[in-house]
Amino acid sequence: FNPITTIKYDLPTKGGITIQIFNLNGQEIDQFSGKDLNPGRHSFSWDASDYSSGIYFYKIFFNNILYVNKRMVYIK
């Protein structure tokens, strides 16, 4: 992606989510939280303009349980 990516996710029931974004060293560099989201498809746009090219990871927690863990590549 360059420099904005959209993270899409589906929720099975109503609940809260937390999206954490990490650099390659495992340091958390950004976080987004949403409460009382309805079931269905949702998305979150992350702007990496302030960061360098490289590999990043994101984790989505649904009701405080790890729901998704994926990698993304940012190329300037």
Side-chain angles (χ1 to χ4, degrees), residues 8-65:
K8 297 177 183 177
Y9 55 95
D10 294 309
L11 299 182
T13 60
K14 187 173 185 173
I17 60 111
T18 301
I19 299 173
Q20 296 174 322
I21 300 176
F22 299 87
N23 63 19
L24 195 56
N25 294 325
Q27 298 166 316
E28 183 180 327
I29 58 170
D30 211 348
Q31 180 173 306
F32 167 80
S33 294
K35 295 182 181 180
D36 296 326
L37 297 175
N38 290 321
R41 180 163 289 265
H42 297 270
S43 63
F44 167 74
S45 293
W46 183 57
D47 185 350
S49 299
D50 295 335
Y51 300 100
S52 60
S53 295
I55 298 172
Y56 293 88
F57 300 90
Y58 68 89
K59 294 181 180 184
I60 300 176
F61 292 86
F62 177 63
N63 292 334
N64 297 318
I65 297 171

